[in-house]
């Protein structure tokens, strides 16, 4: 098994707030972060709404010159890393930086930079392309810039498994710590996909909601009238440490990571397996890894994207894994408020799971007004619920059939 792995720091930059308190108070109150797209002119798009991060000023976290040389997804990563490290109260001058790593998830990387520089190429020619174009666009820079900024010389990489990217980043960090290859890992995800091209691509796939007149009611997981996801942006990061390392420096502990399961549907590039097979397998593997019985799980932060097929098949997978106990578990989708942050979704949702355990409150699935008969579990509709949660599961399922499940547990000495 290796050493126990605990969470000692957390941070969020999200459509429902920056910082743990804002993020949590808005989630618990059921407030949506969805509104009209302001990052570009979305006239002519079938979807004109998104869950944007409001009021983000990169210079509050990063030197102005450096910030200009980073894509928005890297700016989110840098800001979230600074917040998470400050929250963990970790002084890197007192630890072995060779044993501190950074693994972040991102599905798309620097698409905004790519689009801007392509315009420059087409209008002004190859000689006018920025020398910073490549290092701004490439997806690994989310992790690289954090490692450079803090001088962290351990394993540093980006996981890219579409919407499962963050959960892979957290799970792989968990494994490194379990194997004794690191003492501390900064992990989670970052994404800035609200760009003309990404939005046009998802519109063309008909994957996103077209409920443009009611932005805050557009993301409606498990509801009969759901018609697609709402795209979001932001970052969610954790600081993970071995228990001995955390205790050695007197760190506060938010919770424990105990299970990690991976599977692939091996079925289709965008559609989930019609029997929910891959999602069920990743949940079963995470339970096995954690040594936890299905009936011990109190809360599942569902992938729950508000797509007609995805929500139904995730429900089916949960029933396969949990049997009769499925109806006793609180199954929530925080994407009903935050939108879908693609590769950063799991990072945000890991924080939501840990905050749920800490606060004794399960955030609601908002906009669940007419439940789909095929989605008949307890989705904590519309109102937060007070409850003790000792074991929380988080699902992330991505295009390509990637399924990743994490399990968090209340920390006990």
């Amino acid at each position: 098994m290796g050493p126990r792995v605990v969470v000692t720091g957390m941070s969020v930059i999200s459509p429902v707030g920056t910082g743990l308190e804002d993020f949590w108070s808005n989630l618990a109150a059921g407030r949506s972060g969805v509104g009209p797209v302001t990052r570009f002119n979305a006239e002519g798009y079938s979807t004109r709404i998104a869950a944007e991060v409001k009021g983000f000023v990169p210079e509050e976290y990063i030197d102005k010159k450096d910030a200009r040389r980073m894509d928005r997804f890297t700016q989110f990563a840098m800001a979230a890393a600074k917040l998470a490290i400050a929250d963990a109260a970790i002084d890197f001058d007192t630890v072995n930086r060779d044993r501190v790593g950074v693994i972040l998830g991102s599905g798309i990387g620097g698409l905004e930079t790519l689009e801007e520089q392509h315009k420059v190429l087409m209008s002004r020619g190859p000689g006018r392309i920025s020398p910073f174009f490549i290092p701004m666009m490439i997806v690994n820079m989310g992790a690289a810039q954090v490692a450079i900024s803090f001088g962290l010389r351990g394993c540093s990489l980006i996981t890219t498994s579409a919407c499962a990217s963050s959960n892979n980043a957290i799970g792989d960090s968990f494994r490194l710590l379990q194997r004794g290859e690191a003492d501390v890992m900064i992990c989670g995800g970052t994404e800035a996909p609200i760009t003309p091209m990404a939005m046009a691509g998802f519109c063309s796939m008909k994957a996103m909601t077209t409920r443009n007149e009611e932005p805050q009611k557009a993301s409606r997981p498990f509801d009969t009238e759901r018609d697609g996801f709402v795209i979001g942006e932001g970052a969610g990061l954790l600081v993970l440490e071995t228990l001995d390392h955390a205790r050695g420096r007197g760190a506060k502990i938010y919770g424990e990571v105990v299970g990690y399961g991976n599977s692939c549907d091996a079925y289709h590039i965008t559609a989930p397996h019609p029997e929910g097979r891959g999602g069920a397998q990743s949940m079963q593997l995470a339970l096995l890894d954690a040594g936890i019985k299905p009936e011990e799980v109190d809360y599942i932060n569902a992938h729950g994207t508000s797509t007609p097929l995805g929500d139904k098949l995730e429900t089916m997978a949960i029933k396969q894994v949990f049997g009769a106990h499925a109806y006793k578990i609180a199954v929530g989708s925080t994407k009903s408020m935050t939108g879908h942050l693609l590769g950063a979704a799991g990072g945000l949702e890991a924080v939501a799971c840990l905050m749920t355990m800490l606060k004794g409150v399960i955030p609601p699935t908002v906009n669940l007004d007419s439940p789909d008969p095929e989605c008949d579990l307890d989705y904590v509709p519309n109102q937060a619920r007070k409850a003790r949660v000792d074991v929380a599961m988080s699902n992330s399922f991505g295009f390509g059939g990637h399924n990743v499940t994490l399990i968090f547990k209340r920390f006990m000495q």
Side-chain angles (χ1 to χ4, degrees):
M1 280 292 290
R4 291 167 70 185
V5 175
V6 294
V7 181
T8 58
M10 302 194 289
S11 69
V12 168
I13 291 165
S14 86
V16 296
T18 290
L20 295 179
E21 290 311 315
D22 275 0
F23 172 68
W24 179 252
S25 62
N26 286 323
L27 275 193
R31 292 190 193 102
S32 169
V34 183
V37 171
T38 65
R39 298 214 33 89
F40 64 93
N41 182 357
E43 197 181 333
Y45 284 68
S46 55
T47 298
R48 298 182 294 281
I49 58 173
E52 297 179 339
V53 170
K54 297 292 196 297
F56 177 70
V57 181
E59 292 77 16
E60 289 178 7
Y61 309 93
I62 317 160
D63 175 78
K64 191 173 183 178
K65 190 167 118 182
D66 291 339
R68 282 205 312 270
R69 296 172 176 177
M70 293 176 191
D71 186 89
R72 186 169 170 87
F73 92 104
T74 301
Q75 293 174 350
F76 286 154
M78 288 288 287
K82 291 199 170 175
L83 291 171
I85 288 163
D87 184 52
I90 189 162
D91 176 2
F92 288 122
D93 290 336
T94 64
V95 303
N96 181 355
R97 293 177 200 240
D98 292 345
R99 293 182 56 79
V100 183
V102 185
I103 304 182
L104 300 183
S106 188
I108 290 178
L111 192 58
E112 187 171 64
T113 298
L114 175 63
E115 291 179 34
E116 286 171 357
Q117 291 298 303
H118 184 258
K119 280 184 205 159
V120 171
L121 176 67
M122 292 293 98
S123 61
R124 298 164 69 193
R128 302 311 294 270
I129 290 289
S130 166
F132 297 103
F133 162 50
I134 298 296
M136 284 174 73
M137 178 203 72
I138 53 179
V139 70
N140 67 295
M141 279 299 159
Q145 291 278 25
V146 171
I148 290 165
S149 175
F150 290 96
L152 310 179
R153 297 184 294 266
C155 174
S156 173
L157 54 91
I158 286 273
T159 51
T160 298
S161 43
C163 308
S165 300
S166 280
N167 272 13
N168 274 135
I170 296 166
D172 289 353
S173 297
F174 169 54
R175 285 282 184 263
L176 280 172
L177 291 161
Q178 275 190 320
R179 291 201 304 258
E181 294 179 29
D183 296 326
V184 182
M185 294 296 298
I186 317 298
C187 57
T190 181
E191 202 83 274
I194 303 172
T195 73
M197 208 164 175
M199 288 278 290
F202 283 120
C203 285
S204 180
M205 287 175 72
K206 298 187 167 36
M208 294 194 298
T209 176
T210 54
R211 196 184 282 261
N212 296 302
E213 309 316 312
E214 297 182 296
Q216 301 204 330
K217 294 184 178 178
S219 182
R220 37 197 323 115
F222 310 109
D223 189 84
T224 314
E225 295 180 22
R226 68 188 185 277
D227 68 331
F229 74 88
V230 173
I231 199 166
E233 63 174 357
L237 268 61
L238 304 180
V239 178
L240 302 187
E241 297 183 54
T242 61
L243 178 55
D244 284 351
H245 193 274
R247 278 182 172 151
R249 65 179 194 87
K252 70 175 179 300
I253 293 173
Y254 284 116
E256 192 168 352
V257 187
V258 292
Y260 176 37
N262 271 292
S263 76
C264 185
D265 288 355
Y267 172 72
H268 189 271
I269 54 171
T270 57
H273 191 279
E275 293 162 14
R277 190 183 294 165
Q281 186 182 344
S282 77
M283 286 185 265
Q284 284 161 341
L285 288 168
L287 287 167
L288 189 67
D289 186 45
I292 279 176
K293 298 186 186 82
E295 55 272 22
E296 292 179 76
V297 175
D298 303 304
Y299 169 61
I300 299 174
N301 188 299
H303 186 54
T305 57
S306 185
T307 60
L309 206 53
D311 292 1
K312 180 179 82 167
L313 293 175
E314 184 172 12
T315 300
M316 186 189 294
I318 290 168
K319 289 180 195 172
Q320 284 175 39
V321 174
F322 292 95
H325 183 65
Y327 291 92
K328 297 177 185 172
I329 303 172
V331 180
S333 174
T334 45
K335 289 186 181 76
S336 59
M337 296 167 279
T338 66
H340 187 2
L341 275 67
L342 310 184
L348 217 60
E349 288 153 18
V351 175
C353 284
L354 289 152
M355 292 296 282
T356 294
M357 285 195 282
L358 282 167
K359 301 286 189 180
V361 173
I362 298 172
T365 302
V366 301
N367 303 320
L368 187 45
D369 302 325
S370 51
D372 181 339
E374 291 189 271
C375 298
D376 59 349
L377 299 176
D378 173 10
Y379 304 110
V380 196
N382 301 314
Q383 291 290 321
R385 181 185 303 163
K386 286 187 176 178
R388 182 181 169 95
V389 172
D390 290 322
V391 178
M393 174 181 273
S394 181
N395 284 333
S396 287
F397 306 147
F399 282 177
H402 305 289
N403 309 293
V404 187
T405 300
L406 296 172
I407 299 178
F408 302 95
K409 192 174 180 181
R410 180 182 296 276
F411 177 69
M412 310 292 274
Q413 294 295 339

